[in-house]
Amino acid sequence: MRILEELRAGVTTASAVETQELASELARALAGDTTLALHGNLGVGKTTFVQGLARGFGIVEAVTSPTFTIYNIHRGTKGRTLVHLDAYRLESPKQIEDLLLEDFLVPPWCLAVEWPEKIGAWLPVGALHLDLGIAADERHTLRLR
Ligand SMILES: Nc1ncnc2c1ncn2[C@@H]1O[C@H](COP(=O)(O)OP(=O)(O)O)[C@@H](O)[C@H]1O
Ligand SMILES: [Mg+2]
């Protein structure tokens, strides 16, 4: 679980590939059935991180931002299901209920959420929270709460 400790301490990356590699490593260390809330403004690397998670779950298809579709579902190896939710356009708890997301959370699942503050109360209590940002030197920052 070195990757969890590393992310808790906070890391910076110099490229999207480096961020994706960290995410892949995290994916391989994650227990089944985990929600990962990805906090941070536009362009900090939330979708980039999910691309790395997907790689770590053995997902080969392209992972793109589900801003307009709200969520995408990807199946990996070992029965892994990755549900990638972009909550940016959600405005009410009712809207998240209407997605019936639970129906797609087939164990072992990982729910990765961009703009999690939009659906705050809906997130499972055990969710992992990752804060992403960009430092003054333009390196991207990642820290697990
Ligand atoms: N160290 C880095 N980590 C993540 N992304 C980076 C990094 N350096 C540059 N980038 C670029 O920043 C952009 C991040 O975009 P994206 O992942 O879509 O952000 P978000 O989903 O948070 O809006 C991508 O174009 C990516 O290639
Ligand atoms: Mg995004």
Side-chain angles (χ1 to χ4, degrees), residues 60-71:
V60 288
E61 75 223 24
V63 169
T64 55
S65 181
T67 304
F68 296 101
T69 54
I70 313 293
Y71 66 90

Side-chain angles (χ1 to χ4, degrees), residues 42 46-48 65-67 84 86 114-115:
L42 194 69
K46 301 179 295 296
T47 300
T48 300
S65 181
T67 304
H84 180 192
D86 186 332
E114 298 191 38
W115 302 101

Side-chain angles (χ1 to χ4, degrees), residues 11-42:
V11 293
T12 66
T13 60
S15 69
V17 168
E18 220 183 296
T19 292
Q20 288 167 346
E21 282 169 357
L22 283 172
S24 291
E25 211 179 323
L26 177 66
R28 291 189 292 268
L30 279 184
D33 306 351
T34 317
T35 298
L36 182 63
L38 301 160
H39 299 265
N41 286 329
L42 194 69

Side-chain angles (χ1 to χ4, degrees), residues 29-143:
L30 279 184
D33 306 351
T34 317
T35 298
L36 182 63
L38 301 160
H39 299 265
N41 286 329
L42 194 69
V44 292
K46 301 179 295 296
T47 300
T48 300
F49 195 88
V50 178
Q51 288 165 346
L53 282 177
R55 204 85 20 94
F57 289 138
I59 291 156
V60 288
E61 75 223 24
V63 169
T64 55
S65 181
T67 304
F68 296 101
T69 54
I70 313 293
Y71 66 90
N72 290 328
I73 296 162
H74 305 280
R75 309 234 183 255
T77 49
K78 299 181 192 157
R80 280 281 186 170
T81 301
L82 172 65
V83 178
H84 180 192
L85 172 70
D86 186 332
Y88 189 74
R89 282 154 47 94
L90 297 181
E91 291 302 342
S92 73
K94 170 86 172 72
Q95 278 181 297
I96 179 91
E97 296 298 335
D98 287 348
L99 297 177
L100 302 174
L101 271 183
E102 290 91 342
D103 292 356
F104 301 103
L105 299 179
V106 180
W109 52 264
C110 174
L111 172 63
V113 185
E114 298 191 38
W115 302 101
E117 35 290 306
K118 289 270 185 175
I119 57 163
W122 185 89
L123 289 172
V125 279
L128 294 175
H129 291 266
L130 186 72
D131 291 314
L132 297 99
I134 303 178
D137 62 1
E138 304 213 333
R139 289 178 68 92
H140 288 233
T141 61
L142 305 100
R143 183 191 290 269

